[in-house]
Amino acid sequence: MSRADTERLIADYYQAFNDGDMDTFLNLLTDDVQHDINQGGREVGKAAFAAFMERMNRNYRERLVDIQIMANADGTRAAAEFVVLGEYLVTDEGLPEARGQQYRLPAGAFFELRDNKVARISNYYNLNDWVAQVSA
């Protein structure tokens, strides 16, 4: 993949997320995708990622804005920086009670690409900042 192809793939990934188009979103992943969860473990496989997204979409309503995408010259790695605009809908296990709180959270992600698909995504944000926002 070229740098431009990789940047387009990541842009399509985030567009599908923002559109709530989970079929397109999941089809941009390899079957053995590795998902590094912020301050958590690593899940492997498209089925695990789909289950993660089901929980996320049930508990949160999120839209990503101010997305900046960067890729290396050979298109095998990429990074994105963005802001998450969200609403906490349903209490997630081990987290504060959900009451429809809104939040604004800077975040980032790192990607590895293979065969024109996302093979790894590692997401990062400040969990303490999020907890403070929804606890206020």
Side-chain angles (χ1 to χ4, degrees):
M1 290 179 69
S2 70
R3 175 182 284 160
D5 291 337
T6 294
E7 290 173 349
R8 169 78 346 230
L9 175 66
I10 301 305
D12 290 347
Y13 174 90
Y14 285 124
Q15 186 63 55
F17 176 88
N18 278 341
D19 291 346
D21 182 352
M22 286 298 108
D23 288 337
T24 297
F25 185 73
L26 294 170
N27 283 329
L28 294 173
L29 308 174
T30 62
D31 289 337
D32 63 346
V33 65
Q34 297 177 9
H35 177 214
D36 297 325
I37 301 169
N38 186 70
Q39 297 183 351
R42 172 175 278 185
E43 295 182 344
V44 178
K46 196 183 287 191
F49 198 96
F52 174 84
M53 289 307 303
E54 275 185 42
R55 189 185 97 235
M56 292 297 292
N57 289 333
R58 179 181 60 250
N59 296 352
Y60 309 89
R61 182 177 305 125
E62 295 183 332
R63 178 158 184 78
L64 309 181
V65 299
D66 299 331
I67 302 168
Q68 298 297 314
I69 300 167
M70 299 146 275
N72 67 348
D74 68 5
T76 59
R77 297 270 200 278
E81 182 179 25
F82 47 89
V83 174
V84 180
L85 303 178
E87 184 178 359
Y88 189 26
L89 304 173
V90 175
T91 302
D92 206 347
E93 185 179 337
L95 296 173
E97 183 179 341
R99 300 179 314 278
Q101 306 93 310
Q102 294 187 352
Y103 51 92
R104 179 181 178 88
L105 191 64
F110 296 99
F111 297 88
E112 182 179 335
L113 298 109
R114 181 175 28 52
D115 302 326
N116 297 320
K117 293 193 176 207
V118 173
R120 177 184 55 83
I121 179 168
S122 302
N123 288 300
Y124 296 96
Y125 57 88
N126 185 328
L127 182 59
N128 291 334
D129 180 17
W130 180 86
V131 168
Q133 289 185 53
V134 302
S135 296

